[in-house]
Amino acid sequence: MSVPADEPGNPAHAIFERFLRAGECREVLGCFGELCRQLGLQGSGLQLYHGLKAALNYWSAKALWSKLDKKAGHKDYDQGTACASTKCLVVGAGPCGLRAAIELALLGARVVLLEKRDSFSRNNVLHLWPFTIHDLRALGAKKFYGRFCTGTLDHISIRQLQLILLKVALLLGVEVHINVQFKGLVPPTGEAGGQGGWRAVLQPGSSPLSHYEFDVLISAGGGKFVPEGFKRKETRGKLAIGITTNFINRHSQAEVEVAEISGVARIYNQKFFQNLYNKTGIDLENIVYYKDDTHYFVMTAKKQSLLKKGVILQDKADIESLLSPENVNRDALLSYAKEAANFSTNYRLPELEFARNHRDLPDVDMFDFTCMTRSENAALVREHNGARLLLGLVGDCLVEPFWPLGTGVARGFLAAFDAAWMVRRWAAGTPPLEVLAERESIYQHLSQTSPDNTNKNISQYSIDPATRYPNINLKAIKANQVRDLYLVGMVEVDHKRKRDNRLSTAVSGDAYEELLSWCQASTAGYPGVAVTNFTTSWTSGLALCALIHHFRPDLVDFDSVDPQNPIRTHQMMLDMAEQELGIQPVLSSAEMASMAEPDRLGLITYLSQFYEAFKTSPEVEEVSKKPLSARGTRGAILFLNKLQKSRSLTHKRAQDSAQKDAEAKRSRREAKLDVGLDGDILDGAHKLPHTTVTEPGQPPARGESSDACYFCGRRVYILERASAEGRFFHRGCFQCRQCGATLRLGDYAFNEEDGHFYCSLHYPNPPRMDLPRAEPPALPHADAAAAHPPSDAGSPYVSPKEEAPGPLQPPPAAPQPGGEPGAAEDAADAGDVEEQELPAQPGGDAREEEEEGPGPEPQGVAEEGEESGGRRKIILTPLEKLNLATLNLTSEAEPEPPPKPARLRLQVAPEALPAGWQGQGIWEEEGTAVEEALEESDSEEEEEEPEEDDTGLGIMAELCLGLGDDDKYPTWKRTLTRRAREAQMKRFCKAQAIQRRLEEIEVTFRELEQKGIKLEKLLRDEDGTRADQKTQWMNQLLYLVQKKNSLMSEESDLMITVQELKLEEQQWQLDQKLRCYMNRDESLKTPEDRVAEQEILVQLLEVVNKRNVLIHIQEEKRLNELQA
């Protein structure tokens, strides 16, 4: 008989409170066992839970029982009877294994969970999606961990998350066993009259669980442990080395005031990482900083930087050997991590001291995530001697997460819900193949899930997939497609991977003859054109003109082409095809005009791009009546080409204006008028490249030969050939002249004077356009630290004067001392985006920050320049300014889904917008339902945990948006702050997904290049080779070219998204700067303040206009592809 626990001073109360507060795995298990003994409770499952609830009915426990009862009362669980006769084994007490165990227990199953360790020691911090926050709150997370997601927190350490879930699992009757390792399965013997079921091979073998029989196995043992029968597939990118580090968090006021970094990536914020490298020698791709129990940093480091800093002792080709303990200088690694952490937080975290890991060593780790693996299937069924076993995967052994995306725990929870739904269907007697087919149909969606494409009503989420995935088709995969997942008898593990035979099958047709026939049909009837081969028929240039004119008569006046100047003609057509059709050249104009036999392969490769772009249905004869656009994603290449030319023109304008300014220092105002801020003055050298045609005798303005790399001089084979500005090179050689960064189409700068290529940050612009920052004073207190960060540190606080100047700010007459050359770009660039510092977190005093920038005189010059340059000063009312300052942040409601493509909302008076915008709809991000659910769960617990308000206010102090009285609008401010953090996180995640895909494309490119080089050598040395063999090789080469072109198009699509991310980041930073001025009383503003505010406002409008143009182009491209 249990002891009544509602009496004052009952010892069970104290034990239960110790259980709630326990901070170690062993302590939790010990307290729970003691509690059960004290109350005289035995057994497991929901029966144990109901016993606890009846015995502990005092106020502290009642609030927890209320939450768990509400959760258990969901219809999916059938009052805990849905899986009452099911026995489950869950392997692994990570967050995903524990979460799956909780769901199975709620379904009424008997659940046994194994964990090979006896402690939770991982300090690393996990990003939580809104639904995971809501889900954990519904399980009573704040009862176990009072600081759980208080205020705007959206993350938690792995250790704390495990402790929360472990406590919930124990209360729901899950049997947890530590220091027990799963080693394999023991099939049933079929003896004793049909008795016997599936059992586990465990270590130690003496464990009483060795006799536990189960019919469901859920594996959550991590990426390196996958049960027999599952096949893994791997995606490989370029070498990626991650570093995680944890520092002790003393929760001091100084630490509270340091803003977190939800994520910053080189791909859209190159300047911050360049400053980091210049000051410290540390070279990173990204960095994230979260504050939890520890100060947690995670970053991706470049190998060369680690070698130079002595972290890696010797460069080795094998990744495992490269990062082996004997090849890593531990002290240098600690110094590297600490220096990166200090710089990224602007040296504002006092006395950084490493936290300790489970080995009692500084908690710093370096790991490789070059290869990411995932299971080909999520579940399977094994049958032996008539006994069936359902196996499912969750967590890392299902899909190994790419850490920069912050998707691991969210998708892990989704997979846990999906696995529980599968077990429910299994227990209901659904045929095994149907269960497997439905599970695989759901699994198809997992890797694409994000907060944006899952259902917004997170309060309705359950294990039913329909509540989480919009419009999901649970029968997308049929039962007959998963027969190979039903395994009978013993499993033979096949470690051999399937070979890719697509190369031989995809080129079975005669692509060479098909291409020749298509060229003949497309050029038939043009005077002077007779295509009979891929050599002499094309030397005059008329055939190429005819081909382009046939599909795009608006681009070429065929009758005006001069056949006597073939090089000039070819150059015109090469430029035209590149700039108007997005088709990259493969040969130089001189090679096209001579067309020797060795160049035949290059011409075939080049013409195949036209074929892919314009091949149509049999009604090809009517195409001349209506100009066609390039099919497929070549529109992305075309757009990037135009963007690149626009950028080049702007660079030239900037250089020209700087030269004129330097020559006329004393008459700067008149000089600005001569230069023309609107870009009206252009001489011949400033025309777009496609309007200037290279003369035959011109030297190395363009590559004379496509066979030699412009950079290294070595041979360039067709498949590895890339081109830009008429130069041909290896893709791997296309790097910034100064910093060695990889360059890509649409994201480079070319200096015609020295013939070198640069990244946008290091293009040799005229002298630095922004004045150097003042030396920082001492940091006596947090406010001063916020206002005066160290000179080149990556502070989250960016002063309004740090931004590269907009069109209203003229370039200075001479270089400024201390400035880094080439660090700013012309803000008037129609397609370019200035590189940003680390995202500006609001909260600093704008006036104090201004003191680091230029004084009154440059401001006055800027004001006059604005008025004299013919630009209209935009004057907004305070209300309009506030609306503009809350771009992408404020939203009262969303009555209907936004029109596609929805990227941003602009709330500002129509008369303040460009004419082209007026009348357009208002765009806004979704999220109202998500926020309402979070606010609801937030408000439910505010009164329960009043002692935690200080923590929430601390986070608000970091991320305060400065929109008014903190006490007056706490919910509003919290919502706005959460949206700002989510927007920053979305940018970061999108950037990392793009970076990862670009690296995977690069690896695929290298594989294609190796195959292509081999084929090209065979074709060039074809003496004595049979004709049918040569044809086969040619078809294979064309197939590889087709794959290469497809990858180039995908890469260009990704680079367009990169441009969009840069604009988003720039808009966000301008918005923060503008907010600092708007929050200041008008009577306190100086004339310089008003000028600076006006300049930022104009820049902000220009950035929003650029985003609008980019979205319009993307929509046109999408519609063209649909029509094609």
Side-chain angles (χ1 to χ4, degrees):
M1 186 168 181
S2 63
V3 177
D6 54 349
E7 300 174 1
N10 192 294
H13 295 184
I15 299 173
F16 185 70
E17 290 300 323
R18 283 196 288 115
F19 169 74
L20 293 179
R21 302 290 178 244
E24 299 292 338
C25 176
R26 282 182 172 275
E27 183 185 1
V28 171
L29 294 172
C31 288
F32 187 74
E34 184 181 352
L35 178 64
C36 291
R37 289 190 296 272
Q38 177 69 33
L39 297 175
L41 297 176
Q42 293 181 347
S44 61
L46 293 180
Q47 179 183 357
L48 177 62
Y49 167 68
H50 292 306
L52 286 168
K53 187 171 65 169
L56 288 171
N57 57 1
Y58 76 111
W59 68 270
S60 182
K62 280 183 177 180
L64 182 58
W65 306 143
S66 175
K67 284 185 172 292
L68 294 179
D69 282 347
K70 183 179 179 181
K71 180 74 174 177
H74 195 279
K75 61 182 179 64
D76 287 346
Y77 305 123
D78 290 341
Q79 298 300 317
T81 62
C83 299
S85 59
T86 304
K87 293 187 291 185
C88 305
L89 179 68
V90 179
V91 180
C96 299
L98 286 164
R99 192 64 192 85
I102 289 170
E103 290 301 323
L104 295 173
L106 288 169
L107 286 165
R110 181 187 176 187
V111 185
V112 174
L113 185 144
L114 308 179
E115 171 56 45
K116 64 182 180 181
R117 302 179 181 88
D118 60 2
S119 65
F120 298 153
S121 58
R122 290 184 287 176
N123 292 315
N124 293 354
V125 178
L126 299 172
H127 172 68
L128 300 178
W129 291 4
F131 94 83
T132 53
I133 297 175
H134 186 274
D135 175 68
L136 290 166
R137 282 177 177 163
L139 293 174
K142 283 186 74 70
K143 289 295 178 185
F144 307 108
Y145 183 53
R147 288 185 297 183
F148 174 75
C149 289
T150 308
T152 58
L153 280 176
D154 59 357
H155 48 73
I156 188 172
S157 71
I158 299 176
R159 187 178 68 84
Q160 286 291 355
L161 181 57
Q162 286 178 283
L163 288 171
I164 291 171
L165 294 173
L166 174 63
K167 294 171 185 178
V168 176
L170 291 171
L171 292 175
L172 293 175
V174 175
E175 303 172 47
V176 179
H177 298 264
I178 58 175
N179 292 320
V180 179
Q181 188 171 3
F182 179 88
K183 305 296 288 186
L185 289 168
V186 179
T189 59
E191 299 173 357
Q195 292 182 354
W198 289 85
R199 292 180 289 114
V201 179
L202 303 176
Q203 186 179 2
S206 58
S207 171
L209 291 176
S210 298
H211 304 290
Y212 173 62
E213 296 179 353
F214 49 89
D215 46 22
V216 173
L217 172 67
I218 301 296
S219 173
K224 295 182 179 180
F225 171 74
V226 180
E228 292 179 349
F230 288 93
K231 297 179 181 179
R232 309 283 286 173
K233 57 184 177 182
E234 175 186 283
T235 58
R236 178 178 292 272
K238 295 169 68 176
L239 177 64
I241 300 174
I243 297 175
T244 61
T245 182
N246 287 276
F247 299 97
I248 295 174
N249 187 354
R250 299 177 178 84
H251 303 284
S252 66
Q253 183 64 24
E255 290 171 298
V256 165
E257 291 175 352
V258 178
E260 293 182 329
I261 305 170
S262 296
V264 59
R266 176 184 291 271
I267 200 169
Y268 62 79
N269 197 338
Q270 187 180 356
K271 187 175 182 180
F272 164 74
F273 292 99
Q274 189 62 44
N275 287 341
L276 171 65
Y277 179 74
N278 292 340
K279 291 295 180 182
T280 67
I282 294 173
D283 204 2
L284 303 179
E285 288 289 347
N286 52 47
I287 190 168
V288 173
Y289 162 50
Y290 284 145
K291 240 181 304 192
D292 210 88
D293 287 347
T294 61
H295 295 289
Y296 169 67
F297 293 83
V298 58
M299 61 202 82
T300 303
K302 294 189 176 181
K303 182 180 73 171
Q304 290 303 320
S305 169
L306 294 170
L307 286 167
K308 288 181 180 178
K309 298 284 285 185
V311 177
I312 297 177
L313 301 178
Q314 292 183 350
D315 191 4
K316 299 183 179 182
D318 178 58
I319 300 176
E320 188 173 346
S321 301
L322 182 74
L323 301 183
S324 62
E326 55 271 17
N327 196 41
V328 174
N329 184 328
R330 185 76 182 172
D331 291 336
L333 175 60
L334 299 182
S335 175
Y336 191 97
K338 190 171 185 177
E339 204 167 3
N342 269 321
F343 183 92
S344 61
T345 56
N346 204 20
Y347 300 89
R348 296 180 63 218
L349 284 175
E351 301 177 16
L352 280 182
E353 180 181 345
F354 288 102
R356 316 297 286 189
N357 60 18
H358 62 286
R359 300 187 185 93
D360 199 33
L361 296 172
D363 194 355
V364 181
D365 189 27
M366 187 162 60
F367 59 97
D368 162 56
F369 60 99
T370 303
C371 300
M372 310 302 295
T373 60
R374 57 175 291 152
S375 177
E376 292 186 359
N377 52 287
L380 56 83
V381 173
R382 292 187 61 179
E383 180 180 334
H384 193 80
N385 289 334
R388 290 173 176 170
L389 174 67
L390 175 65
L391 296 92
L393 305 181
V394 297
D396 290 4
C397 60
L398 179 63
V399 178
E400 193 174 4
F402 180 49
W403 73 260
L405 299 185
T407 58
V409 70
R411 290 178 180 168
F413 276 25
L414 290 173
F417 299 158
D418 296 336
W421 180 258
M422 173 184 69
V423 175
R424 185 185 189 277
R425 298 272 288 158
W426 174 267
T430 307
L433 289 180
E434 290 186 21
V435 172
L436 292 173
E438 184 177 275
R439 179 69 188 95
E440 298 309 313
S441 297
I442 299 169
Y443 179 45
Q444 289 185 122
H445 293 260
L446 186 62
S447 292
Q448 284 74 45
T449 53
S450 71
D452 292 330
N453 59 23
T454 47
N455 280 331
K456 298 299 181 289
N457 193 355
I458 58 176
S459 63
Q460 299 300 313
Y461 278 22
S462 73
I463 61 174
D464 185 350
T467 64
R468 293 174 279 120
Y469 308 115
N471 306 317
I472 187 170
N473 180 9
L474 297 179
K475 296 184 178 180
I477 293 179
K478 307 301 181 185
N480 61 359
Q481 295 177 268
V482 294
R483 293 186 182 278
D484 59 328
L485 301 181
Y486 192 102
L487 308 177
V488 179
M490 301 301 292
V491 175
E492 294 183 6
V493 182
D494 182 13
H495 297 286
K496 296 181 180 179
R497 299 180 61 87
K498 294 181 180 179
R499 295 185 61 186
D500 185 3
N501 295 320
R502 289 175 296 172
L503 182 63
S504 59
T505 58
V507 295
S508 55
D510 194 344
Y512 176 88
E513 291 297 332
E514 185 178 347
L515 177 63
L516 182 59
S517 300
W518 180 80
C519 291
Q520 290 171 336
S522 301
T523 58
Y526 283 89
V529 177
V531 175
T532 59
N533 54 39
F534 288 113
T535 51
T536 56
S537 299
W538 301 85
T539 53
S540 68
L542 293 178
L544 186 57
C545 289
L547 185 64
I548 296 176
H549 183 270
H550 180 73
F551 294 102
R552 291 292 303 272
D554 57 311
L555 296 180
V556 180
D557 182 2
F558 184 81
D559 296 332
S560 65
V561 175
D562 182 10
Q564 303 302 318
N565 196 340
I567 295 181
R568 180 187 180 92
T569 300
H570 275 294
Q571 191 60 64
M572 289 176 59
M573 294 304 102
L574 291 174
D575 290 341
M576 189 74 69
E578 182 177 9
Q579 294 155 19
E580 300 297 336
L581 303 178
I583 296 176
Q584 299 291 304
V586 179
L587 299 171
S588 68
S589 57
E591 290 169 326
M592 295 278 285
S594 60
M595 197 49 64
E597 182 65 24
D599 297 323
R600 180 173 65 100
L601 296 178
L603 179 63
I604 293 172
T605 302
Y606 183 59
L607 295 176
S608 69
Q609 298 182 69
F610 287 90
Y611 177 69
E612 292 169 25
F614 291 115
K615 60 182 177 182
T616 60
S617 57
E619 294 84 7
V620 69
E621 296 300 327
E622 299 181 7
V623 296
S624 59
K625 299 178 183 179
K626 182 179 179 181
L628 294 180
S629 60
R631 284 167 42 109
T633 53
R634 301 211 68 83
I637 299 177
L638 174 59
F639 168 71
L640 288 178
N641 280 332
K642 292 181 178 294
L643 178 66
Q644 193 63 56
K645 299 308 176 187
S646 174
R647 178 180 289 115
S648 299
L649 176 61
T650 305
H651 284 318
K652 291 177 182 178
R653 290 178 178 175
Q655 281 186 322
D656 186 56
S657 98
Q659 291 172 0
K660 292 185 178 182
D661 283 342
E663 294 170 358
K665 291 181 182 179
R666 296 179 182 178
S667 55
R668 182 181 301 177
R669 297 173 185 175
E670 292 79 6
K672 280 196 285 286
L673 290 173
D674 293 337
V675 173
L677 290 173
D678 288 328
D680 296 327
I681 299 179
L682 291 175
D683 56 26
H686 293 157
K687 294 180 182 178
L688 286 174
H690 74 267
T691 61
T692 30
V693 181
T694 305
E695 297 295 338
Q698 281 188 323
R702 294 181 178 270
E704 293 288 340
S705 171
S706 61
D707 287 341
C709 176
Y710 179 74
F711 298 102
C712 69
R714 296 195 298 269
R715 176 69 177 270
V716 186
Y717 291 92
I718 290 173
L719 257 294
E720 58 181 356
R721 189 174 301 172
S723 67
E725 307 294 334
R727 278 75 176 171
F728 299 92
F729 41 79
H730 302 97
R731 284 179 55 88
C733 293
F734 194 31
Q735 298 177 345
C736 172
R737 171 74 174 182
Q738 183 166 333
C739 68
T742 300
L743 302 178
R744 290 186 173 90
L745 181 66
D747 198 25
Y748 69 86
F750 177 68
N751 188 349
E752 291 191 0
E753 293 183 1
D754 61 14
H756 296 314
F757 290 85
Y758 299 89
C759 64
S760 56
L761 185 62
H762 291 122
Y763 184 80
N765 271 337
R768 187 178 177 89
M769 295 185 186
D770 49 345
L771 296 177
R773 302 171 59 179
E775 287 300 318
L779 302 178
H781 53 78
D783 291 339
H788 299 282
S791 130
D792 280 290
S795 169
Y797 300 93
V798 182
S799 78
K801 292 300 153 195
E802 276 187 273
E803 185 72 24
L808 303 181
Q809 292 176 280
Q816 298 295 330
E820 294 176 16
E825 294 187 19
D826 185 2
D829 187 345
D832 198 12
V833 182
E834 299 86 345
E835 300 297 338
Q836 304 296 327
E837 291 285 359
L838 200 59
Q841 301 285 3
D845 187 340
R847 181 180 311 189
E848 292 183 5
E849 291 173 353
E850 277 181 22
E851 295 174 2
E852 301 172 7
E857 183 178 354
Q859 294 287 351
V861 171
E863 188 173 10
E864 287 197 22
E866 171 195 343
E867 295 173 355
S868 61
R871 287 184 177 263
R872 178 173 60 89
K873 179 180 288 187
I874 300 176
I875 306 297
L876 298 184
T877 66
L879 177 60
E880 291 168 347
K881 291 179 181 179
L882 179 61
N883 286 335
L884 182 59
T886 53
L887 282 171
N888 279 338
L889 296 177
T890 56
S891 167
E892 296 302 325
E894 186 173 317
E896 59 185 16
K900 293 183 179 181
R903 292 290 188 273
L904 63 146
R905 235 184 215 275
L906 179 64
Q907 297 180 353
V908 67
E911 60 270 16
L913 298 180
W917 290 16
Q918 297 179 17
Q920 292 188 10
I922 300 295
W923 299 343
E924 185 177 75
E925 295 181 6
E926 295 183 357
T928 304
V930 175
E931 286 161 5
E932 287 177 353
L934 288 176
E935 293 301 337
E936 181 182 351
S937 59
D938 241 350
S939 59
E940 287 176 1
E941 295 169 338
E942 281 180 353
E943 296 182 1
E944 299 173 10
E945 300 291 341
E947 70 275 9
E948 297 301 334
D949 288 348
D950 289 342
T951 302
L953 291 174
I955 299 301
M956 289 303 299
E958 298 174 15
L959 300 167
C960 171
L961 296 181
L963 292 175
D965 187 359
D966 290 358
D967 299 326
K968 191 174 180 180
Y969 303 108
T971 303
W972 182 37
K973 290 176 67 63
R974 185 163 55 236
T975 301
L976 292 175
T977 305
R978 181 179 288 124
R979 287 194 178 189
R981 289 171 61 94
E982 288 175 356
Q984 186 182 30
M985 189 65 189
K986 283 180 183 178
R987 278 196 301 277
F988 179 71
C989 290
K990 188 183 292 186
Q992 294 313 297
I994 291 171
Q995 183 69 34
R996 176 70 185 186
R997 181 56 189 151
L998 288 173
E999 291 173 353
E1000 291 172 358
I1001 288 174
E1002 197 66 37
V1003 171
T1004 308
F1005 266 131
R1006 286 201 289 266
E1007 294 173 354
L1008 292 177
E1009 287 168 1
Q1010 293 304 313
K1011 296 177 182 178
I1013 291 172
K1014 181 179 179 180
L1015 287 171
E1016 186 175 348
K1017 288 180 177 179
L1018 291 172
L1019 286 167
R1020 289 182 182 276
D1021 185 23
E1022 56 187 24
D1023 295 340
T1025 306
R1026 301 192 319 272
D1028 59 338
Q1029 181 65 65
K1030 289 190 292 184
T1031 302
Q1032 183 180 0
W1033 288 340
M1034 179 62 71
N1035 290 338
Q1036 289 178 349
L1037 183 64
L1038 288 176
Y1039 170 71
L1040 294 179
V1041 169
Q1042 181 182 354
K1043 290 190 70 174
K1044 175 191 173 184
N1045 293 338
S1046 176
L1047 288 173
M1048 285 182 62
S1049 296
E1050 182 184 357
E1051 182 183 55
S1052 299
D1053 275 325
L1054 295 173
M1055 291 308 299
I1056 290 178
T1057 309
V1058 169
Q1059 300 299 325
E1060 184 180 356
L1061 288 175
K1062 289 183 177 181
L1063 288 169
E1064 287 180 11
E1065 178 74 8
Q1066 186 182 10
Q1067 177 184 335
W1068 189 82
Q1069 293 205 25
L1070 289 171
D1071 172 68
Q1072 303 310 307
K1073 296 176 185 179
L1074 188 62
R1075 195 186 308 281
C1076 292
Y1077 287 109
M1078 289 181 175
N1079 288 339
R1080 190 178 305 164
D1081 190 278
E1082 286 291 329
S1083 62
L1084 300 178
K1085 294 181 181 179
T1086 65
E1088 290 78 15
D1089 290 342
R1090 294 187 176 90
V1091 171
E1093 180 180 357
Q1094 188 68 22
E1095 291 172 358
I1096 294 172
L1097 179 61
V1098 172
Q1099 291 179 43
L1100 184 58
L1101 286 172
E1102 289 187 351
V1103 170
V1104 176
N1105 188 33
K1106 291 176 185 178
R1107 291 188 65 188
N1108 185 60
V1109 170
L1110 185 60
I1111 292 168
H1112 177 71
I1113 291 174
Q1114 287 178 297
E1115 179 65 7
E1116 280 189 344
K1117 172 178 164 292
R1118 185 181 68 84
L1119 294 176
N1120 286 337
E1121 291 173 357
L1122 289 176
Q1123 293 174 358

